[in-house]
Amino acid sequence: MATSVTTPKLTTTFYKRLPITVPLSSHFLSLQNTLTPFSHNCCSLLYFQCQRRHVAARAKSDNGAELPSHYDFDLFTVGAGSGGVRASRFAANFGASVAICELPFSTISSETTGGVGGTCVLRGCVPKKLLVYASKFSHEFDESNGFGWKYGTEPQHDWSTLIANKNAELQRLTGIYKNILINAGITLIEGRGKIVDPHTVDVDGKLYSARHILISVGGRPFIPDIPGSEYAIDSDAALDLPSKPEKIAIVGGGYIALEFAGIFSGLTSEVHVFIRQKKVLRGFDEDIRDFVAERMSLRGIEFHTEESPQAILKSTDGSLSVKTNKGTVDGFSHVMFATGRRPNTKNLGLEKVGVKMTKNGAIEVDEYSGTAVPSIWAVGDVTDRINLTPVALMEGGALAKTLFQAEPTKPDYSAVPSAVFSQPPIGQVGLSEEQAIQEYGDIDVFTANFRPLKATLSGLPDRIFMKLVLCAKTNKVLGLHMCGEDAPEIVQGFAVAVKAGLTKADFDATVGVHPTAAEEFVTLRTPTRKIRKSPPSEGMTGPEVKAAAGV
Amino acid sequence: MARKMLNDGELSQPNQEEQTHFDFDLFVIGAGSGGVRAARFSANFGAKVGICELPFHPISSEVIGGVGGTCVIRGCVPKKILVYGASFGGELEDARSYGWEVHEKIDFDWKKLLQKKTDEILRLNGIYKRLLSNAGVKLYEGEGKIVGPNEVEVTQLDGTKLSYSAKHILIATGSRAQRAPIPGQELAITSDEALSLEELPKRAVVLGGGYIAVEFASIWRGMGSTVDLLFRKELPLRGFDDEMRAVVARNLEGRGINLHPRTTIKELIKSEEGVKVITDHGEEIVADVVLFATGRAPNTKRLNLKAVGVEVDQTGAVKVDENSRTNVPSIWAVGDVTNRMNLTPVALMEGTCFAKTVFGGQPCKPDYRDVPCAVFCIPPLSVVGLSEEQAIEQGKGDILVFTSSFNPMRNTISGRQEKTVMKLVVDAETEKVLGASMCGPEAPEIMQGIAVALKCGATKAQFDSTVGIHPSSAEEFVTMRSVTRRVAAASSNPKTNL
């Protein structure tokens, strides 16, 4: 039967490069039935490739039932956030007909509200960073005093001005995103998309058929169910509060918790952070975890470590108390939970169509972002891989190439840099010291902990911490970490260097930009410590002895 | 010692016996960035090192200087401190849109900043002295002079003269700001004085289009002064990428600096209202301060170089070979006095290479390729590698230019109309990134990492494969997808004379 395929060469190539989850036989069997009826105007090469995969899927799921001869769209994307918009735009640029659905705009997300732009633009990166900018000014006022600036009265912050300006900006951005979609020729449908079958999406009762369906519905904050949790807010609400918290409890030690702690502290709220563990930012480099917590404490944020809230109580004056395993802390105007996010996979019809999910509700995907159902794909936070906007963009871009440009492309998750916009902020790329030890055994660590020029003048206790983690054998830079002013901006360029696999010698060969903080990364001369998995025993010979002698 | 003196064999000094005893293995004249680095590293390699430096003062002359040199006392450090101070002016404007109610009455206390700046450079001056003594380097205060290929004379403050012999002499006396020969030039100041003014000028005129000129224009403007910037060419910052020069000019203007391109000063006249500046266009500008940022000259006049036979070029810069050696084999020179690439980190590199070559048994040459640098105007400019013009001129092949001009997120709320501009110049054939430039907040910090990538020959594909850090400005460098233009390498490209 397979011999009836008219383009055998193409098939082989395709098969080699794209992992296909369905059995070979059904894949080819179904093909001959379905080649002719298609009348789409896609470039034939891409078209055939795409066809095979979903055709195979159809054959599998429908068990040989009559196949539709025509789809409304080549791609239907559910969710117009970073990943969905990127995949749709690129797909459209490659010639595919694309539709995308998204919930109506609201700053607070729910089962029925969302907005074009998604978490990043409406409830994440963008509004968060705008609030970070706003909150940083109080530190800048303090700094400026040291540089001779004096204010008639202490600058006061007006919360409503900030929130109004922020929301105006979000409206502008959601409009821009809509225009981007429209200009790319994508059909934008407002409403809640639900998967009906492997090629059909239901948006508020209206059915759309598509050759491929992309799920990019993202994630949403999750508040654990403890007594009084109804009094708590999540990050969505925290970005759009009607008034500034006087005293806020933030529960969680992840990046969102730290970012909001910095925001509210900078806007002069009293901030308490409750973390279950001993340290903040699990998964980050240990030195960075210690350093950032120390710096934030110095700016007046109170950390309650190994202290988990068990209940939130509302007193008669309206203030909130947090009852923990260690006691009760009173007098909060707000309690915010930054205790993780969950993929938005409920009520999407996924179970019914056979899309597999993890126990957290994340869609399981292969390296090409393919789900268990061959015509259904997923990118971004809903897959809970690396939940970052630029990663969702990478996944979306790769998928568009795979599906519509005959270029099967896997997103590459190595050396993905990231930032925490705490105050001071963190930037990092590559492995933490602990990960590097696990993976490489023998590593060299270079660190710098210094007071930047600005701080010597401002008199504020600001410091900067930097760290390079090297493979002892190859001298390759495995990880680069920084906590201090401008860390996210500084790390980006170094991420290119780390991604390119450069060595410490390459860093050393680079001349510094003077006077900057970043130049410290190319002027680290003496290792802080050399870690060797096994101390050299006496019987060692040859290269091992040599390596040890270098210590 | 012999083991470390690897260059012994090469030193053909017929007059000296092998066993000649020298007071020092190395005597360094000038304790700035290059001299201190060379002295310390040489001492670390086991050499016996002496160094001399003029007494400390913020304003340099033939007879005053200070340990730390230009960078610490009259350059990078105090300049950056003032730039920080000036940047708050713009910050305050931006703060209001972010909801901060800043009282109309804001005072800027120049004297306080100046005092703190002086405290800081004194502190650094002390640190540098300690660095030297901790390395075992003997420091002499006084004016150094070369009296023979292996003989240095130091005139101390009280006039007494010390004489020392040294196997190697290193000249690291740096350079000094020059005044343009214009009638009334004595009414103008140089960057030395500009960093130590008693009062903040209400009206300042800056002559020059180089980095020092634009930096001081930005400093004073940020502190609220009226600033007029006069320069000879169409755009400031000759030698930088033309497109970026235009961006800087636009930003300076956007921040309220009055630009006078193709303009120079004919005469300065003292008047009751201040210094009257007469331009070559016949314009008159009255100013409290006129800064000449018209170049710097190497400090070689009083070193007695001619007598010992050390060659200098017509600008007075000491001529050296790739190893920083002069035509007199026992005499070497690093830093601004050689007028190669006048940057602190380059002087450090030259000083390190000198020490490694002469005392470390690791001969090495400073590598001037892909040296990044920054101009701390507000907002700053930073570059590494080739400008578009240089890449075209090299004519090795077609080049691809990628540019990104965007409104930084911070400006969306502050309403500041100032685009950040980034640019990558890529070899069309090899895909190697030949040059990167950026003008916008944090550009110098952002460029450092990009410089590592560039130095190691990173390709555009490697930039593209790097995931962005979101939301940042820097991520634009790894998300430039479409080519802005392709430029043929044809050497027939008309040269601009901006």
Side-chain angles (χ1 to χ4, degrees), chain B residues 343-416:
Chain B
L343 295 169
T344 291
V346 170
L348 297 177
M349 169 172 72
E350 290 166 356
T352 304
C353 285
F354 163 82
K356 281 186 175 173
T357 302
V358 179
F359 299 105
Q362 312 158 35
C364 68
K365 293 173 193 164
D367 177 0
Y368 297 92
R369 193 179 47 84
D370 293 336
V371 170
C373 72
V375 180
F376 288 92
C377 44
I378 302 174
L381 168 72
S382 192
V383 304
V384 60
L386 304 181
S387 67
E388 183 175 343
E389 293 73 29
Q390 286 167 334
I392 294 169
E393 213 166 284
Q394 284 200 350
K396 283 188 180 150
D398 288 6
I399 60 157
L400 305 175
V401 178
F402 294 78
T403 55
S404 174
S405 172
F406 60 96
N407 200 21
M409 190 193 285
R410 205 183 129 123
N411 293 359
T412 58
I413 281 194
S414 71
R416 181 175 289 286

Side-chain angles (χ1 to χ4, degrees), chain A residues 86 89-90 120 125-126 128-131 133-138 140-141 143-159 161-162 165-166 169 172 266-268 388-391 393-394 412 414-419 421 427-428 452-454 456-459 485-497 499-503 506-507 509-522 525, chain B residues 37 40-41 71 76-77 79-82 84-92 94-103 105-110 112-113 116-117 120 123-124 222-224 343-346 348-349 367 369-374 376 382-383 407-413 438 441-442 444-453 455-456 458-459 462-463 465-478 481:
Chain A
R86 172 59 61 94
R89 276 178 57 208
F90 278 30
C120 169
C125 321
V126 174
K128 170 265 299 275
K129 186 127 190 230
L130 291 176
L131 295 200
Y133 279 131
S135 62
K136 269 171 68 179
F137 284 110
S138 59
E140 284 167 35
F141 295 140
E143 285 178 324
S144 71
N145 289 330
F147 284 85
W149 293 86
K150 270 185 293 200
Y151 308 98
T153 52
E154 181 117 328
Q156 298 292 313
H157 189 257
D158 177 44
W159 179 264
T161 303
L162 171 63
N165 287 349
K166 180 216 58 164
E169 173 61 11
R172 192 182 72 90
L267 295 172
T268 67
L388 296 169
T389 292
V391 170
L393 297 178
M394 171 171 68
D412 175 0
S414 72
V416 170
S418 67
F421 290 91
Q428 56 148 32
L453 180 60
K454 200 179 195 177
T456 58
L457 267 279
S458 71
E485 196 176 354
D486 299 327
E489 298 287 358
I490 289 171
V491 168
Q492 182 70 73
F494 288 105
V496 179
K499 178 86 183 174
L502 299 187
T503 64
D506 295 324
F507 275 57
T510 306
V511 174
V513 179
H514 188 70
T516 61
E519 68 180 317
E520 292 292 322
F521 270 128
V522 299
R525 279 204 304 271
Chain B
R37 169 60 66 92
R40 282 176 54 212
F41 277 35
C71 169
C76 321
V77 173
K79 171 263 300 274
K80 183 112 192 246
I81 288 173
L82 296 192
Y84 277 134
S87 302
F88 291 111
E91 300 289 304
L92 293 177
D94 293 351
R96 293 196 170 94
S97 318
Y98 279 93
W100 288 95
E101 288 153 5
V102 186
H103 198 271
K105 194 179 153 10
I106 302 168
D107 280 333
F108 172 65
D109 184 348
W110 167 262
K112 179 177 174 185
L113 178 57
K116 294 189 78 165
K117 179 221 77 174
E120 174 62 10
R123 189 181 74 88
L124 291 172
M223 292 168 178
L343 295 169
T344 291
V346 170
L348 297 177
M349 169 172 72
D367 177 0
R369 193 179 47 84
D370 293 336
V371 170
C373 72
F376 288 92
S382 192
V383 304
N407 200 21
M409 190 193 285
R410 205 183 129 123
N411 293 359
T412 58
I413 281 194
M438 169 177 177
E442 277 78 70
E445 299 286 357
I446 290 170
M447 201 54 66
Q448 184 69 74
I450 302 287
V452 178
K455 177 86 185 172
C456 299
T459 61
Q462 282 174 314
F463 272 67
S465 73
T466 306
V467 174
I469 292 182
H470 188 69
S472 67
S473 287
E475 69 181 318
E476 290 291 321
F477 267 127
V478 299
R481 279 201 311 271

